[in-house]
Amino acid sequence: MRYVPLFLITLTLTFVADISTAGESVIGSVKTVKGDASIVRDGKTIPANAGEKIYAHDKFLTGNASSLGVTFRDNTLVSLGSGSEFVVNEFLFNPAESEFSFISKMFKGTISYISGKIGKLSPESVKFQTPVATIGIRGTRFLAKVEG
Amino acid sequence: MLKGIKYALLIPLAMLSFACSQKSTFVLLPDLDGAVGEITVTTEKGSTTISEPMRSTTVTGPNSAPSDQVALKEEEIQATFGEAMAAQPEPGVVFILYFKPGSKELVDSSAALINDIIRIIADRKSVDTSVVGHADTAGNEEYNKRLSTKRAEAVAGILSSKGVDTDILKITSHGENDPLIQTGDNVSNRKNRRVEVTVR
């Protein structure tokens, strides 16, 4: 009996691994960088240079006196101030099939968030989270600060 | 093995408890076009909807409700968020190119915009430019799906022939389902036969 759950766990893990590598598509790009900014992707940390393409699950980090601005494929504009940590957990922009999702989380720091087409076409698909709250939007443009 | 699983479960729990102190503040601003949307801030203990610009709410922890809304002054917003706001990228530039009926051939006035598109791609060092094809409702849906795809590919082909790296182009098509001008079925419409290019 004990082997059954283990077998299922193995199956599940394999399945998840397949999803995370299959069909990874570009969701936007880095446009502005000041100071020390980086992206954590698949466990590796790379510099966040202007012109760097970005993908779902990327985590963005900024150091002291640093900032970072990115555009997303649905025209959402996100920019971070110093000492920030922000991750895009889910991004799906497929208007032809009416498939939308933009789920992101801010762990610390400051952010300016200007929502794009997903926010217009399907506001309920946009979720912005912090460790203590979840934001739903209609429109829109907002600022958030999370104390680390 | 079981021990490993136990520890794996403990890690997210530890992260949750660490997260408990992270006070969050939210401020609504007018959109870039001046319109004002809404944000709804929700915790397990309650929620508040801000629909007036420059107003804020604070959540002190996961077991707190969002605070009463507070109006902020411009200077207060700048002091806290100026750095993040200054890093805001420019919004994308949108070009709308029109086509001859039933054709993937651009009308002359739109063909004249191609050089502008190329210039903006270079100015912005764009690595993410969308090329989205559309059709009007003349002809059946399947035909228009193919036609809108051909139009997007034609524009991408022109850009590529003038030196734009195709790796930066994201080509998609919406057929007749996303008209600029709403019409009935089987209506030829000049403004709906289009490709939208967004340079980011």
Side-chain angles (χ1 to χ4, degrees):
Chain A
M1 272 306 279
R2 280 174 66 181
Y3 292 103
V4 176
L6 284 178
F7 171 68
L8 282 177
I9 289 168
T10 314
L11 252 187
T12 311
L13 287 177
T14 312
F15 184 54
V16 169
D18 278 352
I19 289 175
S20 68
T21 50
E24 280 295 352
S25 60
V26 174
I27 63 170
S29 60
V30 174
K31 297 305 289 185
T32 69
V33 186
K34 205 183 101 191
D36 168 29
S38 53
I39 300 172
V40 181
R41 180 179 300 151
D42 298 331
K44 293 196 187 80
T45 303
I46 57 172
N49 296 321
E52 180 73 35
K53 291 177 180 174
I54 62 178
Y55 299 85
H57 311 301
D58 279 358
K59 179 182 271 191
F60 302 90
L61 303 169
T62 57
N64 291 331
S66 302
S67 65
L68 175 71
V70 298
T71 60
F72 289 87
R73 190 147 269 174
D74 77 321
N75 298 336
T76 296
L77 307 176
V78 162
S79 48
L80 308 173
S82 299
S84 296
E85 185 175 339
F86 171 75
V87 66
V88 178
N89 288 317
E90 206 173 289
F91 184 95
L92 185 59
F93 180 54
N94 186 1
E97 311 295 333
S98 293
E99 295 171 335
F100 305 103
S101 178
F102 195 162
I103 301 173
S104 61
K105 184 165 182 176
M106 185 81 184
F107 294 91
K108 59 176 183 168
T110 54
I111 185 169
S112 157
Y113 189 112
I114 302 174
S115 72
K117 285 195 177 166
I118 298 176
K120 283 206 181 66
L121 298 170
S122 179
E124 66 281 4
S125 302
V126 180
K127 283 277 172 285
F128 175 85
Q129 301 164 318
T130 79
V132 298
T134 298
I135 312 304
I137 66 156
R138 196 177 58 75
T140 196
R141 178 182 177 204
F142 68 89
L143 305 166
K145 178 185 181 183
V146 179
E147 291 180 15
Chain B
M1 183 68 192
L2 278 177
K3 227 179 196 175
I5 291 174
K6 265 187 204 160
Y7 282 123
L9 287 174
L10 278 175
I11 293 167
L13 282 176
M15 285 168 73
L16 267 179
S17 58
F18 175 69
C20 285
S21 60
Q22 290 162 314
K23 180 178 155 187
S24 304
T25 302
F26 307 94
V27 188
L28 180 69
L29 291 185
D31 294 349
L32 296 178
D33 64 7
V36 177
E38 253 177 29
I39 56 171
T40 299
V41 178
T42 304
T43 72
E44 283 183 17
K45 299 293 179 185
S47 87
T48 188
T49 296
I50 306 179
S51 47
E52 280 180 65
M54 320 272 283
R55 291 179 83 89
S56 73
T57 183
T58 297
V59 178
T60 50
N63 297 316
S64 325
S67 73
D68 288 343
Q69 295 178 21
V70 178
L72 296 183
K73 295 196 182 79
E74 180 70 41
E75 311 87 84
E76 292 170 308
I77 291 174
Q78 274 300 326
T80 306
F81 298 102
E83 193 181 35
M85 291 165 77
Q88 180 212 304
E90 290 292 309
V93 181
V94 181
F95 294 88
I96 302 182
L97 305 174
Y98 298 104
F99 291 80
K100 296 176 179 171
S103 162
K104 57 175 184 176
E105 193 181 338
L106 286 167
V107 302
D108 292 346
S109 58
S110 291
L113 290 175
I114 293 287
N115 286 338
D116 292 344
I117 297 175
I118 291 168
R119 185 172 48 80
I120 299 284
I121 287 175
D123 282 355
R124 298 207 159 204
K125 302 186 173 65
S126 175
V127 297
D128 183 22
T129 289
S130 300
V131 180
V132 184
H134 300 270
D136 60 27
T137 59
N140 69 37
E141 199 170 331
E142 195 46 47
Y143 166 81
N144 282 323
K145 181 78 190 158
R146 280 199 309 275
L147 180 58
S148 67
T149 303
K150 281 183 190 164
R151 284 173 175 161
E153 286 169 350
V155 170
I158 297 169
L159 293 173
S160 158
S161 75
K162 293 183 173 250
V164 173
D165 178 359
T166 50
D167 276 356
I168 75 155
L169 301 178
K170 169 70 175 176
I171 304 165
T172 51
S173 51
H174 294 180
E176 62 179 46
N177 295 326
D178 190 9
L180 213 53
I181 309 293
Q182 291 290 342
T183 70
D185 199 8
N186 275 309
V187 175
S188 178
N189 184 294
R190 184 177 64 84
K191 290 203 160 173
N192 289 338
R193 296 189 294 268
R194 72 200 194 278
V195 163
E196 294 185 9
V197 178
T198 306
V199 184
R200 286 182 210 91

